[in-house]
Every structure is written in structure tokens, then in C-alpha cells.
Amino acid sequence: MNYLRTIALSLSLFLVGLVGPIQAQLQMNFYANTCPNAEKIVQDFVSNHISNAPSLAAALLRMHFHDCFVRGCDGSVLINSTSGNAEKDATPNLTVRGFGFIEAIKTVLEAQCPGIVSCADIIALASRDAVVFTGGPSWSVPTGRRDGRISNASEALANIPPPTSNFTNLQTLFANQGLDLKDLVLLSGAHTIGVSHCSSFTNRLYNFTGRGDQDPALDSQYAANLKSRKCPSLNDNTTIVEMDPGSRKTFDLSYYQLVLKRRGLFQSDSALTTNPTTLSNINQLLKGSVDSFFSEFAKSMEKMGRINVKTGSAGVIRRQCSVANS
């Protein structure tokens, strides 16, 4: 009899193990019963405001990326710290914008459905909607993410790929998140919209190896233009520069064309040409259509949006996105 009880217990635990993860997965229209208008509320808010600040599309996309690369897509990038050691206090996040925008959406959702919709899902939905409303690709955003309560600056610094990354560093940091080289190339394509601060790349112009030199992998004419018209000194921390000059408001393939011309703004852009696989991926994208790029980009965004998500009973639903224990 004890033997039979042991078998029954083992079987029940096995079945729980099977059912648990299935119930805890992200799913389309996760809030259909608990907050039916959740996704429309996010979409309408983005639609009503993005025309006044179209640059937010790139900013929210970057926020989503930075959130997912640290502790998974759990909204921890939004948390404030009184001691200055949260993710948003780390160097990679000092120029991230859109925190107030996400909090404003959260306020509307809390008024409609208190304690239901996670901050992590708001980032995922709003970044997609903002890109779509500015003419970029759409992608599926399954929901059901829950929020984290831990946010460490040191983890952001260790996990978010810096613009000074070489290929090896990029490959490692993406692989750590379950992303491959194709994802690396496609997600880098987000640099087709938006701007950067001079401080993210002036080492390439003025002090690449610590000897006051210029990065030889950067087109010399482009470098001269950046020095004379954009970033006149190594210490410029305020001037902003288009990542895809002449096309920064259009989600297209021109970023990849510039990378092949050695006119990618960051060292990490240039690094994509130093590996045969990523270089081949770029050439394949350029042989195809913009629609094909959109389709492939969408797949990588969906994959990124699932990184280490908290679902089911893991995590919490923060009532205020900037407060860990709200």
C-alpha cells in the first residue's frame, strides 16, 4: 500500500510539473477576462501622444531591450532607488527615456483595472505600438509577464551590451539571453531609428586605443564630419547624433547599408562586419525587401520579449512602476 501511495504521489508531482509551466506561459490576450481593454488602452495612449513625440518609438524600443537583458523582461528598469543603485542609475540607462510615459499609461490602467496589468507588459506593448505608429514593423506581444522587485545597477552594467562592444562581447552577452547571431543582427537593426549622445562613440573619434587616435574601422570622411559638425571634443556629453543619418525617422534597411560602408556610429555596429556569419546575415537582409526585414525583425523581437519572464505566481504586479514595493 505504501508503495502504491509513493507511485501516486510521484505521478501527481509529475503532472503538476507538466501543468505548472503550461499555465504559466505568456499568451495572447492574457488580460481578456481580467482587463479586457488593457491592450487597447495602451494602444490608444500611444496613438494619442506619439505624434507629439515620435522619437519615443526608438526610446521605448531601447527601454524594452534594456529591461529584458537584465533579470528578464520584468519591468525592473523602471524602478527608482533612493541610494542610486537601481538599473536606471547604471551608465547604459542614464540616457534611456520614456519612464514617465510608461508610468502615465500605468496610471490609466490602474484606474480601469487596479493591480492587474504589469509594468513589464506595458513596456512590451507600448514599444511595439510606438514603432508601428511611426511606420515600423509590428510583432506579436503575448502578455502575462509579472514584475520584478529587484533592480541593481551592477547587473545592468554587466548585462547590457555597451556601444563599445567588440564582436566577442556582443556574441557572449546575446548568448547569455538565449539570442543567436541572427538575433544580434536583426535587433541591431533597431538603430535605423533614433539618436545617440556623442559620449557613446567619441572614443572612436579621438582616443580609440588610448593614444589619441581614431578607429581605423570608421570611414575617415564620416569621422571628419562627426568631428567638425557634431562632436567637437572627447568630453561632449550632451550633443545628440542620428544613428541612421538622413533616415532616422524611417524604419528601413539603410542602417545596414551604412554599416557596410563603415559608417555605423558605434563600435558595436562595426563589429557586425568582423564575423562571417553576421556579415552574411546583413548581406542577405540587403538582398531582400523591407517587408522581409520587418518579418525577421518581428521574430527576434518576439523572442527577446520572452527572455526570463516571470509568470504565474512568480513576481508581482506593481501598482506604481517606479516603486519596487508598490
Side-chain angles (χ1 to χ4, degrees), residues 30-31 34 74 106 109-110 113-122 143-149 310-321 323-326:
F30 176 82
Y31 300 108
T34 55
D74 69 348
K106 177 64 170 175
L109 284 165
E110 282 297 304
C113 315
I116 299 296
V117 183
S118 70
C119 300
D121 274 343
I122 296 173
T143 45
R145 296 168 189 78
R146 288 169 66 83
D147 297 323
R149 281 181 165 169
K310 296 172 176 62
T311 57
S313 59
V316 297
I317 302 298
R318 299 202 305 270
R319 295 294 189 98
Q320 191 174 343
C321 292
V323 181
N325 296 313
S326 51

Side-chain angles (χ1 to χ4, degrees), residues 62-201:
R62 184 177 181 223
M63 179 191 291
H64 188 26
F65 180 90
H66 284 207
D67 183 44
C68 291
F69 266 61
V70 185
R71 291 186 170 267
C73 312
D74 69 348
S76 55
V77 70
L78 302 169
I79 295 174
N80 288 337
S81 167
T82 54
S83 55
N85 62 355
E87 288 174 34
K88 64 167 57 174
D89 300 306
T91 300
N93 290 326
L94 293 178
T95 52
V96 170
R97 297 185 301 116
F99 296 116
F101 191 80
I102 298 297
E103 197 73 74
I105 297 174
K106 177 64 170 175
T107 299
V108 176
L109 284 165
E110 282 297 304
Q112 292 286 323
C113 315
I116 299 296
V117 183
S118 70
C119 300
D121 274 343
I122 296 173
I123 296 175
L125 290 165
S127 59
R128 187 271 313 273
D129 292 344
V131 169
V132 170
F133 282 124
T134 50
S138 182
W139 58 91
S140 297
V141 180
T143 45
R145 296 168 189 78
R146 288 169 66 83
D147 297 323
R149 281 181 165 169
I150 299 173
S151 185
N152 292 324
S154 59
E155 293 180 350
L157 195 60
N159 290 287
I160 297 172
T164 54
S165 294
N166 59 25
F167 175 78
T168 300
N169 194 39
L170 288 173
Q171 183 179 31
T172 299
L173 292 175
F174 271 69
N176 288 347
Q177 307 300 335
L179 300 172
D180 58 26
L181 295 183
K182 186 176 183 180
D183 298 316
L184 167 59
V185 171
L186 288 162
L187 293 174
S188 294
H191 290 171
T192 186
I193 57 173
V195 296
S196 171
H197 288 78
C198 288
S199 54
S200 294
F201 60 88

Side-chain angles (χ1 to χ4, degrees), residues 26-74:
L26 299 180
Q27 62 188 65
M28 298 301 294
N29 301 313
F30 176 82
Y31 300 108
N33 295 323
T34 55
C35 189
N37 293 322
E39 294 190 23
K40 188 176 187 306
I41 288 171
V42 175
Q43 187 180 65
D44 288 349
F45 192 95
V46 174
S47 175
N48 291 336
H49 294 85
I50 198 69
S51 59
N52 296 324
S55 64
L56 264 178
L60 294 175
L61 198 55
R62 184 177 181 223
M63 179 191 291
H64 188 26
F65 180 90
H66 284 207
D67 183 44
C68 291
F69 266 61
V70 185
R71 291 186 170 267
C73 312
D74 69 348

